[in-house]
Amino acid sequence: MSVKTTHASVSSNSWGRDLILLTLLIGVLFGFMLGSRPLAVPDEGRYSEIPREMVVTGDYITPRLNGVKYFEKPPLFYWLESASIRFLGVNEWALHLWPALFALFGALMVYGAGRRLYGRRIGLIAGAVLSTSLLYYALSRVVILDMVMSGLLAAALLAFLLGTHEPPGLSRRFLLWGFYLFAALVTMTKGLIGILIPMMVIGAWILILNEWRILKTIYLPSGLLLFLIVAAPWHILVSRANPEFLKFYFIHEHVLRYLTRIHKRYEPDWYFIPILLLGLFPWTAFLVQSIRHSLPASWRERYGQRDALFLILWAALIFIFFSASSSKLIPYILPVFPPLAILIGRYLAAAWDRDDMPGIRSGYAMLLVIAVALAAAIMAVISHIIPLETQQFGTYLDALVLILISGTVLTWVMGQRSQRFPLAFSSLIVSTVLFLMVLNAGSVFADRNSVKGLAMVLKPRLQTGDEVVSYHGYYQDLPVYLERCVTVAGWTGELKFGNGIEDVSRWMIKEETFWQRWQGPATVYMLTTKDIYDRLCNQPQRKVYLLAQTDENVLLCNKEIRP
């Protein structure tokens, strides 16, 4: 009895130490330079402005973008961002905080589930793999819903899988209730995929295993009640306040978005293949081996790999589901990363103590090939987007490529020697972390699409009664940095729906109305593109005065600017 108690105590202590250590290390990785980059447009501006307006108006039921009803997404992410704004203010660090926290949450969930299913080493490796995957790291720093959704979906599916391992009792009940709770939170973050994806994955798993009796043991009545308690109230309240919500939200934003090209985001069926292969870097080199390692040897042996089969179905069905959609965006593929991280962790852990692990040496060679190709792509793509105008940027690119190539070469060299897999793995982790941090540091060069600089020039000049106009476009980050809504002239775009169901004519104006105000007595500021500014300069009847400019945009005033 004393031996069991001691073992349990040691295990409990290692859980605590691991969680603290992983939280610190991964937290530093995701927190590095978190608030250094201006908001990217359009997405980061949009998903920051909606919660900012919630805080200002006190209306947390009806989302609004620049004062216009915006029903594309449920409000959980907006509520989280509203809390950041309320307690930390409107700043880049506060706005980027929640994606980073949920990236950390997802990594810890993968560690915990990997450890419970397969052992401590696999859990640790899986957490490291997920945290250092290129796309996962990149999206941990972007103010969009997908990282929050991915973390919650991972929590839901892992809670379900772990719950099926528990005997009847409190542990099983709480894990499965956790599944319903997290599925409801996914629904409150990204909509009906919080219902559809779990049903799809779990249904396929049960069908393949032919274990329909599981449905009798997952507390369906109480679980569905818990799901509805969390997910239903907002949908009811927003529908009562906005009768037009149901049709737009469920038909336009779910059915038509998936089945048609209404959002003009169509990509070919193979679109997510290169995104997955690049986004999983550097672990792409071991992806095929990892899946092969976890596949059952035959149909009869599928029961012996039931957990791995669940993880494979999770990744494969989500990949297929979004590949079949008529609307595709890069972040959609993010939910496949947690299960793949556990599968890769399982394969790499098996290679830890053996030199003859099938596929490991070819993985090192593939890693080197991918790194060289990625280095060439970095030089070509980034140099095209941001011309080498400064020695500082050129030095940055050199450092980025040097870390990428030297790290993978060192990993390859280590991997060729016997009993050196732990050193090769450590080398790959360290070099990848350095690469990601240096890559992130380069974000200070990538603010060309942001109008933060112009907003910071304008903000201290604004007086009561002044009007700010976004002309022939909508700069999504402008109202965030000005901390006020702006007038939009000659453009509707994604604000068209709200513009059609309520009177927003005061700040969604037509061309002629704008020029009447421009020529009036009030001070009016205009943000527009340089091309439009050049055209206006050739129209003598249009008096415009330049206040500030960037490479892409200009800030104009209808009155002559005094020093």
Side-chain angles (χ1 to χ4, degrees):
M1 186 69 177
S2 60
V3 174
K4 291 183 179 180
T5 303
T6 302
H7 176 75
S9 177
V10 171
S11 177
S12 177
N13 289 338
S14 68
W15 270 96
R17 286 195 303 269
D18 287 353
L19 287 172
I20 292 173
L21 183 62
L22 287 173
T23 299
L24 291 175
L25 293 177
I26 299 174
V28 169
L29 175 63
F30 291 145
F32 176 67
M33 296 183 67
L34 189 61
S36 62
R37 177 177 55 80
L39 297 175
V41 292
D43 291 341
E44 289 196 311
R46 177 193 311 120
Y47 293 127
S48 299
E49 175 59 14
I50 293 172
R52 189 197 69 81
E53 293 185 37
M54 284 184 168
V55 173
V56 171
T57 64
D59 183 358
Y60 292 90
I61 300 300
T62 302
R64 292 180 180 272
L65 177 61
N66 202 56
V68 178
K69 292 180 180 181
Y70 194 84
F71 292 140
E72 286 198 7
K73 299 294 184 292
L76 180 59
F77 184 76
Y78 306 147
W79 292 344
L80 294 173
E81 290 291 297
S82 296
S84 288
I85 291 170
R86 190 172 185 85
F87 294 105
L88 300 174
V90 180
N91 60 79
E92 285 94 351
W93 189 88
L95 293 170
H96 286 98
L97 179 60
W98 284 109
L101 287 177
F102 271 87
L104 172 61
F105 172 73
L108 295 178
M109 285 295 302
V110 161
Y111 156 75
R115 176 168 177 164
R116 286 285 297 273
L117 293 172
Y118 300 117
R120 179 170 180 256
R121 180 180 292 172
I122 293 176
L124 290 171
I125 294 176
V129 166
L130 183 62
S131 302
T132 55
S133 296
L134 179 58
L135 184 61
Y136 191 84
Y137 177 78
L139 294 180
S140 75
R141 325 191 62 73
V142 182
V143 187
I144 54 177
L145 292 68
D146 297 86
M147 183 57 75
V148 175
M149 182 274 290
S150 177
L152 292 171
L153 182 61
L157 291 173
L158 291 174
F160 177 88
L161 182 59
L162 293 175
T164 61
H165 281 261
E166 296 292 328
L170 285 179
S171 293
R172 182 185 181 92
R173 185 178 293 273
F174 284 136
L175 280 169
L176 290 172
W177 277 351
F179 158 68
Y180 295 104
L181 172 63
F182 285 119
L185 293 176
V186 174
T187 304
M188 288 295 293
T189 304
K190 207 73 184 287
L192 294 181
I193 62 172
I195 302 171
L196 183 59
I197 288 179
M199 287 178 59
M200 186 169 59
V201 174
I202 294 169
W205 186 62
I206 292 175
L207 177 64
I208 290 174
L209 294 178
N210 194 28
E211 292 188 353
W212 297 99
R213 65 180 184 275
I214 290 177
L215 295 176
K216 298 180 180 180
T217 65
I218 59 174
Y219 310 107
L220 268 173
S222 58
L224 291 176
L225 178 61
L226 177 60
F227 179 94
L228 291 173
I229 288 173
V230 174
W234 175 78
H235 289 85
I236 295 172
L237 291 173
V238 73
S239 300
R240 292 180 62 183
N242 306 275
E244 67 280 0
F245 166 79
L246 289 176
K247 180 180 178 180
F248 180 84
Y249 180 74
F250 288 106
I251 303 300
H252 186 275
E253 284 305 305
H254 284 83
V255 178
L256 296 182
R257 176 189 286 264
Y258 187 85
L259 296 177
T260 72
R261 303 182 185 184
I262 191 170
H263 281 275
K264 300 179 181 179
R265 294 170 180 169
Y266 175 78
E267 300 290 348
D269 294 340
W270 51 263
Y271 176 71
F272 287 120
I273 295 176
I275 291 172
L276 176 62
L277 297 179
L278 178 61
L280 198 57
F281 179 83
W283 312 107
T284 313
F286 307 103
L287 175 60
V288 174
Q289 302 94 309
S290 301
I291 295 175
R292 185 182 300 155
H293 177 71
S294 292
L295 281 173
S298 66
W299 179 254
R300 291 183 178 180
E301 295 180 23
R302 67 192 186 277
Y303 297 101
Q305 295 278 27
R306 54 189 294 130
D307 297 332
L309 189 60
F310 184 93
L311 298 172
I312 292 171
L313 286 170
W314 172 354
L317 291 175
I318 291 178
F319 185 88
I320 293 169
F321 176 79
F322 285 114
S323 294
S325 173
S326 296
S327 179
K328 298 182 181 71
L329 290 173
I330 289 175
Y332 290 0
I333 205 66
L334 188 64
V336 310
F337 281 65
L340 291 180
I342 298 176
L343 293 171
I344 293 171
R346 190 181 184 210
Y347 171 76
L348 296 180
W352 196 269
D353 295 319
R354 53 182 293 189
D355 299 327
D356 60 342
M357 188 68 185
I360 199 70
R361 291 184 182 273
S362 62
Y364 294 139
M366 180 60 68
L367 177 66
L368 190 57
V369 171
I370 296 172
V372 171
L374 181 57
I378 290 172
M379 295 296 293
V381 174
I382 298 184
S383 298
H384 175 72
I385 295 174
I386 308 174
L388 293 176
E389 299 172 350
T390 66
Q391 182 178 358
Q392 182 184 13
F393 185 69
T395 302
Y396 158 75
L397 275 182
D398 292 340
L400 189 65
V401 172
L402 177 63
I403 292 170
L404 177 62
I405 298 300
S406 61
T408 50
V409 168
L410 180 60
T411 300
W412 180 77
V413 171
M414 290 290 186
Q416 302 311 302
R417 302 182 181 184
S418 62
Q419 298 181 346
R420 291 295 180 91
F421 177 81
L423 288 177
F425 177 78
S426 300
S427 169
L428 185 55
I429 285 288
V430 171
S431 61
T432 301
V433 168
L434 288 175
F435 171 75
L436 293 174
M437 286 186 162
V438 173
L439 182 65
N440 177 60
S443 64
V444 299
F445 299 101
D447 61 350
R448 292 165 62 87
N449 292 325
S450 173
V451 295
K452 178 183 179 180
L454 298 180
M456 293 300 99
V457 171
L458 175 58
K459 191 173 182 178
R461 292 176 174 269
L462 288 175
Q463 303 293 324
T464 303
D466 291 352
E467 186 172 15
V468 181
V469 178
S470 180
Y471 182 69
H472 279 212
Y474 176 54
Y475 297 92
Q476 301 268 10
D477 57 337
L478 179 60
V480 182
Y481 287 119
L482 293 182
E483 299 188 50
R484 58 179 281 180
C485 293
V486 300
T487 301
V488 180
W491 186 89
T492 53
E494 63 184 298
L495 302 179
K496 182 178 181 180
F497 170 73
N499 190 22
I501 61 175
E502 59 182 340
D503 183 12
V504 293
S505 58
R506 189 178 67 82
W507 66 92
M508 296 286 294
I509 61 177
K510 297 181 179 179
E511 182 93 5
E512 55 271 23
T513 304
F514 165 70
W515 287 113
Q516 291 173 4
R517 295 186 188 180
W518 188 260
Q519 295 165 1
T523 300
V524 181
Y525 295 96
M526 177 205 308
L527 270 85
T528 192
T529 65
K530 272 193 168 183
D531 290 340
I532 292 177
Y533 172 59
D534 291 339
R535 292 202 299 269
L536 293 176
C537 288
N538 294 324
Q539 300 176 21
Q541 73 276 20
R542 308 295 194 194
K543 297 296 183 181
V544 296
Y545 300 94
L546 180 65
L547 181 58
Q549 61 181 318
T550 63
D551 292 338
E552 305 291 334
N553 304 297
V554 294
L555 172 61
L556 308 174
C557 187
N558 67 337
K559 301 183 185 302
E560 190 170 2
I561 307 301
R562 295 185 176 87

